[in-house]
Amino acid sequence: MCGIVGAVAERNVVQILLEGLRRLEYRGYDSAGVALLNNGELSITRRVGKVKALSDALDDESSLGTTGIAHTRWATHGGVTEVNAHPHTSSERFALVHNGIIENHKALRDALSDKDYAFVSDTDTETIAHTIAEARKHCDTLLESVLQSVKSFHGAYGTVIIDKEDPNTMVVARSGSPLVIGLGIGENFIASDQMALLPVTRRFIFLEEGDVAEITRTTVKIIDASGEKVEREVVESSVEHDAGDKAGYRHYMLKEIYEQPAVIRNTLQGRVTPDGISDDVFGEGSDEVFAKVENIKIIACGTSYHAGMTAKYWLEAYAGVCCDVEIASEFRYRKSVVKPNSLIVTISQSGETADTLAALKLAKESGYMSSLAICNVDGSSLVRESSLSFMTRAGAEIGVASTKAFTTQLAGFLMLVLAIGKHKGMSDTLKSSILQSLAELPSKLEETLTLADDIDDLAEEFSDKHHSLFLGRGDQYPIAMEGALKLKEISYIHAEAYASGELKHGPLALIDAEMPVIVVAPNNELLEKLKSNVEEVRARGGIMYVFADKDAHFKSDETMRVLDVPHCSEAIAPIVYTIPLQLLSYYVALIKGTDVDQPRNLAKSVTVE
Ligand code: F6R
């Protein structure tokens, strides 16, 4: 989703801004633009399409600026056009970029039109630029103008404004859309994600909700939501500088699929001991919360929601704690009942998903005894807003389709099961078996990745298909859902997932030779039930692709192609069986020739509703 980069320096900042935008490309966007201040002149360059088109347009020596702001836009209000791309301007003096949505933009537009502001775009963002320009008429500084203007904005914004009359200053405001200040030496920066600034600094200040800041080359002044001047902590980033590098893989997604054994090793390291889970892995005081917890509510979106669905099976079966899972966008708009001693658990790769954040806010107001965030981005809004947190150590995930974030979330949940189970009478046998399974997990994933060539062959058979069905039972049902989501996201083939016991309640009507059926079949207590479902499909002429444990004794024939997945214990089977489904969607997408890392219409981090 939209990305922001800004810089105020003595040197020319054009390449810093462009590199920042390139590093945010993975988030998904449809147009890009830059505003530069140079010797009292304001210049704007915008292009529909990729950052490359923008950099080609700026690729001559006359593109200079010591202060500049840049943006990648993912259209919300107004179509994908150059005129709607950011930066937007006001009064031939101010230039502004914005992430988020101003919900009262119509009312603001009407009021500003009455004051003779002419709107050139269809965006909500242009109302921010004109509101600040209007405020500047009676405020002494740009900072004051922004502080006054934000009072009239309803909705979400991360915004940066520059003024050609004050060329060495950027003013930024954050509410519902993240912004991070990057500190340099004699130069300072702003971005919506630290990734954008890693080539120029590793020292960051994460702005809090309601913060407005004035940034010059040498100073940073932050005013918080209550109007007080505040000092915020300077954080040294631990994100790898080259996290945005494909390391020889054709796509980030493939690189991230192959990173899974290593990042899971990382996620477990120092947290799992032969006796269980180390103290406070989930945050200070987590042990007391886990001792008291009787009910868990998990909230998330998309792939993270599927991790929550899987965790429900584990938490109830292994830890004996009642667990509900809900999509954040539903939870946030309904009245729900909070069960006694309930813990709210949010899951998010980015930690900035608007619906998940809003759901957490609502939960905190509704009487949950504590909140836990399972997240991949330290310092993200979700982590900061939660009482407890667990950081998955997946490293930067660039491919829009989530892979390694999902499997590290699942590894985190198995640790949560152990940490809670300790207080709920989990038997030593069960505990040792989960610990043993976790220890084996990275090598099982390595073994499973060796299926890649077979899956690449198999993908050929999907290239002319328009629909597909994924089946699983028990804790493999959410894995089937995740497999279907991956396939539709990156290959654009319609895919649905069903708990296979549901087949005869409707979806069997869809079965024919044109509808490939993908089945995940570990050797567990539901295997015989699953086999009956497979026979139901076969009897209706369906063609199946079965990822199965060797001991499950499926045999390939003219209606069924079986791929052997390495034998693994039941606890980690959902994680292991995720891998072949990720590879399948990747290879099908390759054949279909889609944009694997940035599939159409999707964004990496969904920071608007
Ligand atoms: C799918 C995918 C999305 C995200 C969802 C939530 O591959 O990546 O479904 O899982 O947008 O994002 P996070 O986890 O950042 O909250």
Side-chain angles (χ1 to χ4, degrees):
M1 208 147 262
C2 308
I4 287 177
V5 194
V8 46
E10 259 178 294
R11 56 174 160 160
N12 184 12
V13 297
V14 173
Q15 290 312 321
I16 295 173
L17 299 178
L18 288 173
E19 178 57 18
L21 291 187
R22 279 183 211 110
R23 296 172 72 89
L24 297 179
E25 278 192 295
Y26 74 96
R27 299 167 69 94
Y29 68 102
D30 42 52
S31 51
V34 167
L36 296 168
L37 288 175
N38 194 44
N39 288 334
E41 289 304 316
L42 172 65
S43 64
I44 308 283
T45 311
R46 298 178 289 188
R47 288 293 180 272
V48 166
K50 297 286 177 190
V51 172
K52 172 81 172 66
L54 180 69
S55 78
D56 288 348
L58 288 165
D59 198 15
D60 73 65
E61 310 232 321
S62 61
S63 294
L64 290 175
T66 49
T67 295
I69 53 177
H71 191 259
T72 44
R73 171 175 188 250
W74 192 81
T76 55
H77 289 72
V80 181
T81 63
E82 209 162 285
V83 167
N84 286 334
H86 301 206
H88 288 282
T89 56
S90 182
S91 316
E92 295 177 356
R93 168 174 172 185
F94 303 96
L96 174 136
V97 291
H98 163 226
N99 288 356
I101 293 176
I102 298 299
E103 284 163 4
N104 59 332
H105 66 100
K106 277 209 174 68
L108 290 172
R109 185 178 275 255
D110 291 346
L112 289 158
S113 300
D114 289 346
K115 289 184 176 144
D116 290 337
Y117 282 92
F119 282 83
V120 294
S121 77
D122 306 318
T123 63
D124 52 331
T125 300
E126 205 181 346
T127 61
I128 310 182
H130 293 321
T131 304
I132 297 172
E134 178 62 17
R136 185 67 185 86
K137 286 182 182 162
H138 50 261
C139 291
D140 289 340
T141 62
L142 187 59
L143 175 64
E144 269 178 47
S145 320
V146 174
L147 282 165
Q148 189 188 85
S149 301
V150 293
K151 293 181 192 146
S152 54
F153 302 147
H154 301 167
Y157 52 84
T159 191
V160 186
I161 187 163
I162 52 175
D163 174 4
K164 99 175 175 185
E165 306 294 322
D166 183 6
N168 297 316
T169 304
M170 299 185 284
V171 176
V172 310
R174 176 206 162 135
S175 180
S177 221
L179 282 178
V180 55
I181 297 174
L183 301 173
I185 297 170
E187 54 189 14
N188 285 318
F189 312 94
I190 186 78
S192 50
D193 182 331
Q194 57 174 307
M195 283 283 290
L197 300 178
L198 287 174
V200 282
T201 184
R202 304 194 66 80
R203 296 172 63 237
F204 293 106
I205 296 174
F206 293 89
L207 289 177
E208 306 255 331
E209 283 298 284
D211 281 355
V212 173
E214 179 192 69
I215 304 168
T216 70
R217 287 203 296 258
T218 49
T219 60
V220 171
K221 178 174 171 187
I222 302 173
I223 309 295
D224 73 6
S226 67
E228 294 300 313
K229 183 169 181 293
V230 283
E231 299 295 325
R232 299 254 179 254
E233 189 190 354
V234 177
V235 178
E236 193 79 26
S237 175
S238 57
V239 176
E240 290 160 45
H241 174 256
D242 64 354
D245 180 355
K246 287 189 200 135
Y249 287 92
R250 186 159 166 195
H251 292 99
Y252 285 112
M253 182 179 177
L254 191 61
K255 172 183 172 235
E256 288 159 5
I257 290 174
Y258 274 90
E259 278 174 350
Q260 289 175 107
V263 295
I264 286 195
R265 234 175 236 124
N266 240 345
T267 299
L268 301 175
Q269 199 172 28
R271 292 165 158 178
V272 183
T273 71
D275 294 330
I277 301 301
S278 315
D279 287 345
D280 293 338
V281 160
F282 292 88
E284 218 178 300
S286 52
D287 222 30
E288 289 91 82
V289 172
F290 295 161
K292 267 198 260 160
V293 70
E294 287 171 29
N295 295 288
I296 293 182
K297 175 77 145 188
I298 301 180
I299 304 279
C301 303
T303 289
S304 296
Y305 169 71
H306 296 152
M309 293 265 296
T310 315
K312 174 186 166 78
Y313 284 89
W314 289 339
L315 283 160
E316 297 210 339
Y318 301 147
V321 180
C322 174
C323 177
D324 294 322
V325 192
E326 198 165 334
I327 294 167
S329 57
E330 285 299 309
F331 177 79
R332 67 179 286 193
Y333 288 120
R334 77 180 185 90
K335 291 195 170 60
S336 59
V337 176
V338 185
K339 294 181 185 160
N341 291 324
S342 280
L343 169 70
I344 187 98
V345 179
T346 53
I347 319 161
S348 175
Q349 188 285 127
S350 61
E352 301 296 349
T353 301
D355 283 322
T356 311
L357 281 168
L360 172 63
K361 187 162 177 263
L362 175 67
K364 282 165 66 182
E365 290 158 4
S366 320
Y368 281 85
M369 71 170 196
S370 188
S371 53
L372 164 67
I374 296 187
C375 189
N376 196 38
V377 181
D378 210 354
S380 62
S381 306
L382 202 69
V383 171
R384 283 184 290 119
E385 299 290 323
S386 302
S387 322
L388 306 172
S389 61
F390 175 89
M391 302 315 303
T392 50
R393 297 177 186 152
E397 191 179 65
I398 308 284
V400 163
S402 186
T403 52
K404 60 179 182 167
F406 177 67
T407 47
T408 52
Q409 286 166 352
L410 290 180
F413 269 119
L414 278 178
M415 286 187 246
L416 182 65
V417 162
L418 289 166
I420 294 182
K422 168 173 126 183
H423 302 281
K424 310 291 168 196
M426 179 184 274
S427 71
D428 284 346
T429 323
L430 178 57
K431 182 176 92 174
S432 314
S433 127
I434 298 176
L435 284 170
Q436 173 69 25
S437 305
L438 277 173
E440 286 170 9
L441 180 57
S443 60
K444 286 289 170 196
L445 296 184
E446 270 153 11
E447 239 183 284
T448 311
L449 283 164
T450 63
L451 287 173
D453 287 347
D454 293 339
I455 295 174
D456 190 2
D457 287 349
L458 186 155
E460 295 285 346
E461 298 179 31
F462 283 73
S463 57
D464 61 339
K465 298 290 184 279
H466 299 290
H467 305 278
S468 59
L469 198 60
F470 284 69
L471 299 178
R473 288 194 87 121
D475 59 13
Q476 292 288 337
Y477 167 43
I479 301 309
M481 293 170 78
E482 174 57 10
L485 178 64
K486 286 288 89 88
L487 190 68
K488 64 188 140 198
E489 265 183 298
I490 62 166
S491 75
Y492 315 149
I493 293 177
H494 170 226
E496 274 194 82
Y498 269 91
S500 51
E502 273 290 290
L503 264 184
K504 58 175 87 61
H505 300 291
L508 265 185
L510 293 170
I511 302 295
D512 64 18
E514 290 310 304
M515 172 88 148
V517 178
I518 297 98
V519 185
V520 270
N523 185 10
N524 61 21
E525 58 181 15
L526 291 169
L527 182 62
E528 289 314 313
K529 302 274 175 211
L530 185 74
K531 284 188 169 172
S532 309
N533 303 134
V534 163
E535 290 314 314
E536 289 164 2
V537 175
R538 193 201 298 277
R540 275 125 193 123
I543 305 291
M544 282 170 288
Y545 300 88
V546 184
F547 294 99
D549 189 292
K550 220 197 261 137
D551 295 340
H553 301 301
F554 283 96
K555 284 216 165 45
S556 291
D557 58 25
E558 65 284 359
T559 61
M560 187 191 306
R561 189 147 162 198
V562 181
L563 267 87
D564 288 340
V565 178
H567 178 72
C568 62
S569 69
E570 197 170 334
I572 55 169
I575 311 181
V576 171
Y577 280 74
T578 297
I579 306 291
L581 301 188
Q582 293 171 343
L583 288 167
L584 178 65
S585 57
Y586 176 76
Y587 287 116
V588 174
L590 268 194
I591 293 168
K592 305 268 296 184
T594 57
D595 190 343
V596 172
D597 284 330
Q598 289 169 38
R600 68 185 181 199
N601 306 338
L602 297 180
K604 182 66 185 160
S605 181
V606 186
T607 50
V608 294
E609 204 180 335

